[in-house]
Amino acid sequence: MSNRLPPAWSKHIKSRPAPKVQPPKAKPPSSAQADDMLLRQALELQQAKRLPEAEELCHRVLARTPNHPLSFYILGTLGLGVDDELALEYFARAVGEAPRNPYFHLSLGEAYLKVGEQMPAIRHLQHACELKPDLVQALCLLGRAYVELDEADIALPFYEKALKVDRNYAQVRTGLARVLTSLGRMDEATAYLKEAIERRLDLGEAYNDLVHTRKFADEPAELGYILSELANPKLPSEVAQLLHHAAGKVLNDIRRYEEAMDHFQKAKKVAGYDFDLESYRRWVDSIIDFFTPEMLAAKAGHGNPSDVPVFIVGMPRSGTTLTEQICASHPDVHGAGELNKLRRAANGLGFKSRSAAALQKSLTTLTADLAKMLAEEHLAYLRERAPAALRIIDKRPHNFELIGLIGILFPNARIIHCRRDAIDNCLSCFALNFTETHSYNADLETLGLYYREYDRLMRHWDRIFPGRILESSYEMLVADQEAQSRRLIDHLGLPWDDACLRFFEKDRSVNTPSRWQVRQPIYNSSVKRWKNYENKIQPLIDALGDLAEL
């Protein structure tokens, strides 16, 4: 659960003076007054991070006053970040009961964004702005939604309006900078990030984004400022985490590798993420046990024969963004970025629990009719983004866990598996500020052992889908761009187009950590980068074992 309080929550509860001592015969508070008192207590408990107690009070109100909109709203805020699907349901019910409340539409829109449903998010965020035109949070979220739809040009005016409404809103300049960065307008992005830093707004994000707008040849003044901020013992942990990553990035650029690694490791320590590797191994075992050639043969014909979907999978930082950018430079291909739709479908089937029993049940219940429905919903979702494209790419790397499901739903989908030198790949992951979703990135040993599980699962998919998965080597792509690019386009079943060699000129927004790199021609400076850190990464090398090419 989250202790996030959406903006201006107090507007939803009528202000009343403190209760006075009543004579013995005074009437008890009305039902509405009692509900308000319980919800005030729930909000106080939420602020105190006593979340189960806050949830219990909301349900008490609903037991007495079914469909109380503020109860649904608070329950939604409690679920955000923990169970986003449940939060979505609560916010939708709040909107259903109070459709003129802009804050309810705001939170419903944000919940839709969290699960990757940009179109309904935009509808509710626009409704919030119609009800309250100066709602800066909704303006910023509208901007973010359009960026995620590869419509950065549309996103930009929303952020610009938000800046006019409230020049001190914490996330508006970092949001503006990300839009401009995604469009390749690095100088303008840098200016907004420096403004945010000067005003001490969203400081950690601003510094971290700033140092990723360019590569440094000499020590910049920003490094001293970052180190000065890190000397503050009262610095919030989430800010310290970002600043350590920012310092590490700059130190890597200027070849002070040992200091860079020290900051990356401090960032992981501050984050405090924990990953249950044994549980994940059992999950991979279950996938391998259940997805067999016999099971797939029994499910043949269950999905949709469309050849529009393309899935680019692999470890993060393995070249998935570069591969998508090359493919999306073809006039018949649309790069949709990292989509959540397939993961949502898998979670709805029971994959989220990562248990053998749930997996077996989900595959048993995946009837031909259900598979066809899921596949058609997915295709409609893709078509919203590019109605005329012959191929539409989902480049969410961790779809490597779902290749079995892809094989059932889309037997003619193209799959591209990006591989990179294992040590380089893991080191590149470690150097970035991943969210807790990627908690396997918490330390070098765990990261290396996780990589082995990813490799084990991919070898299984190669065995049961022979010839269907194209493996693309980052190192080979860097060494011979044209030959490997032609190989990618051939796998998509499309005629060659020379625009694929000029991928860095492609006018599309890019919203991953590689957004700076894919604006440049291919370079080889990331190949065998790990040798710069050889003395600091022995736990990673040991964990990778025979996968580490020394």
Side-chain angles (χ1 to χ4, degrees):
M1 286 188 173
S2 164
N3 68 335
R4 172 187 177 277
L5 285 175
W9 58 262
S10 59
K11 295 178 186 290
H12 312 305
I13 299 180
K14 295 177 182 178
S15 179
R16 293 185 176 85
K20 298 178 181 180
V21 177
Q22 298 293 332
K25 294 183 180 180
K27 292 181 179 180
S30 68
S31 177
Q33 290 173 324
D35 288 346
D36 279 2
M37 286 193 294
L38 285 177
L39 292 175
R40 284 179 180 278
Q41 291 175 38
L43 289 164
E44 290 169 2
L45 289 167
Q46 185 178 17
Q47 288 179 309
K49 299 185 179 182
R50 293 163 60 182
L51 307 182
E53 296 169 74
E55 184 178 11
E56 193 272 333
L57 288 182
C58 290
H59 285 297
R60 279 175 58 186
V61 171
L62 289 171
R64 181 169 53 213
T65 312
N67 301 324
H68 193 297
L70 186 54
S71 290
F72 289 141
Y73 179 69
I74 297 171
L75 286 168
T77 69
L78 292 167
L80 269 183
V82 176
D83 188 337
D84 291 328
E85 299 287 350
L86 183 60
L88 190 67
E89 179 183 333
Y90 280 129
F91 287 136
R93 294 177 75 177
V95 165
E97 295 299 320
R100 301 288 299 169
N101 189 307
Y103 296 99
F104 293 0
H105 284 282
L106 167 68
S107 292
L108 180 55
E110 182 175 8
Y112 271 121
L113 279 182
K114 279 185 171 290
V115 299
E117 295 281 356
Q118 290 85 9
M119 302 305 280
I122 286 170
R123 286 196 297 272
H124 286 284
L125 292 168
Q126 286 177 333
H127 202 133
C129 289
E130 290 165 7
L131 293 166
K132 188 172 174 56
D134 63 348
L135 190 52
V136 66
Q137 298 91 341
L139 292 167
C140 288
L141 286 173
L142 272 169
R144 179 180 136 198
Y146 278 110
V147 169
E148 291 179 5
L149 283 175
D150 193 19
E151 299 281 1
D153 287 335
I154 298 176
L156 195 56
F158 289 107
Y159 279 111
E160 290 172 337
K161 182 177 178 180
L163 186 63
K164 291 178 182 177
V165 171
D166 186 353
R167 298 190 65 81
N168 290 313
Y169 182 64
Q171 284 80 41
V172 68
R173 285 178 179 79
T174 47
L176 257 172
R178 284 171 188 162
V179 173
L180 293 165
T181 301
S182 75
L183 292 169
R185 293 161 61 178
M186 300 299 181
D187 290 343
E188 295 168 80
T190 298
Y192 279 116
L193 291 169
K194 287 182 175 179
E195 277 187 29
I197 290 166
E198 287 169 7
R199 292 169 176 259
R200 303 191 65 77
L201 299 171
D202 207 8
L203 197 64
E205 294 283 359
Y207 267 122
N208 196 46
D209 286 357
L210 178 64
V211 301
H212 282 89
T213 59
R214 56 173 289 205
K215 189 168 184 178
F216 299 92
D218 302 302
E219 180 176 329
E222 285 84 357
L223 178 60
Y225 302 148
I226 292 168
L227 296 177
S228 177
E229 295 287 350
L230 284 168
N232 177 6
K234 295 183 179 179
L235 196 66
S237 60
E238 63 273 14
V239 178
Q241 181 182 343
L242 286 160
L243 292 179
H244 277 303
H245 274 293
K249 192 273 180 186
V250 175
L251 289 162
N252 174 79
D253 284 355
I254 60 178
R255 302 173 184 269
R256 286 160 56 179
Y257 300 115
E258 289 201 6
E259 293 172 77
M261 180 54 71
D262 286 342
H263 279 284
F264 295 144
Q265 289 178 322
K266 286 176 181 176
K268 306 306 180 191
K269 186 176 181 180
V270 169
Y273 298 156
D274 184 45
F275 184 72
D276 188 343
L277 184 66
E278 287 307 313
S279 175
Y280 190 74
R281 280 177 174 149
R282 291 192 295 272
W283 172 237
V284 172
D285 288 341
S286 299
I287 295 173
I288 291 172
D289 288 344
F290 286 113
F291 281 96
T292 63
E294 296 75 19
M295 186 276 284
L296 292 169
K299 300 285 186 184
H302 273 35
N304 187 295
S306 172
D307 58 2
V308 169
V310 178
F311 296 91
I312 296 178
V313 304
M315 280 288 287
R317 310 297 293 161
S318 61
T320 56
T321 300
L322 174 60
T323 302
E324 182 195 34
Q325 187 80 347
I326 290 169
C327 294
S329 297
H330 193 286
D332 292 326
V333 179
H334 175 72
E338 298 185 10
L339 304 177
N340 286 332
K341 188 68 173 179
L342 184 67
R343 178 64 64 177
R344 285 189 79 196
N347 289 345
L349 290 170
F351 281 58
K352 187 175 183 179
S353 65
R354 287 187 172 177
S355 74
L359 182 60
Q360 184 175 23
K361 182 180 179 182
S362 70
L363 295 177
T364 302
T365 58
L366 186 57
T367 62
D369 287 344
L370 178 57
K372 183 179 180 181
M373 183 191 75
L374 291 173
E376 289 177 351
E377 283 183 358
H378 193 96
L379 286 169
Y381 178 83
L382 295 179
R383 282 295 181 210
E384 284 184 331
R385 285 152 174 73
L390 298 183
R391 304 285 183 269
I392 302 176
I393 299 171
D394 175 355
K395 66 155 292 274
R396 180 164 291 278
H398 278 81
N399 281 341
F400 74 77
E401 297 174 335
L402 304 177
I403 289 176
L405 183 61
I406 292 170
I408 295 171
L409 298 183
F410 301 108
N412 294 321
R414 269 73 172 188
I415 302 172
I416 299 170
H417 172 212
C418 293
R419 271 200 187 270
R420 182 180 178 186
D421 176 281
I423 311 177
D424 273 341
N425 197 165
C426 290
L427 179 61
S428 187
C429 288
F430 197 73
L432 284 181
N433 184 53
F434 285 176
T435 65
E436 194 169 3
T437 306
H438 303 273
S439 56
Y440 57 84
N441 199 31
D443 65 79
L444 290 169
E445 181 183 12
T446 301
L447 178 57
L449 293 172
Y450 177 86
Y451 187 97
R452 292 190 67 84
E453 295 307 305
Y454 138 77
D455 177 79
R456 181 163 70 101
L457 185 54
M458 283 308 309
R459 291 180 191 277
H460 172 70
W461 297 135
D462 284 333
R463 284 192 297 272
I464 67 169
F465 292 112
R468 279 205 56 194
I469 303 171
L470 178 72
E471 185 170 301
S472 178
S473 161
Y474 176 79
E475 288 75 20
M476 291 177 67
L477 181 57
V478 168
D480 191 348
Q481 177 191 348
E482 181 169 351
Q484 296 304 312
S485 297
R486 286 180 176 274
R487 185 167 166 260
L488 291 169
I489 300 304
D490 183 64
H491 181 65
L492 299 186
L494 298 172
W496 174 251
D497 193 293
D498 284 340
C500 298
L501 296 178
R502 301 186 303 277
F503 65 89
F504 48 89
E505 297 175 357
K506 176 70 174 175
D507 185 20
R508 62 183 290 264
S509 59
V510 180
N511 307 303
T512 71
S514 304
R515 55 187 175 266
W516 181 81
Q517 291 97 322
V518 296
R519 300 290 179 194
Q520 322 300 319
I522 280 182
Y523 56 91
N524 62 10
S525 59
S526 292
V527 176
K528 294 297 179 183
R529 172 192 176 202
W530 68 265
K531 287 186 176 293
N532 298 318
Y533 289 89
E534 191 166 5
N535 296 330
K536 302 284 285 185
I537 58 171
Q538 197 59 46
L540 171 62
I541 294 170
D542 291 344
L544 286 169
D546 62 341
L547 299 180
E549 296 181 12
L550 302 176

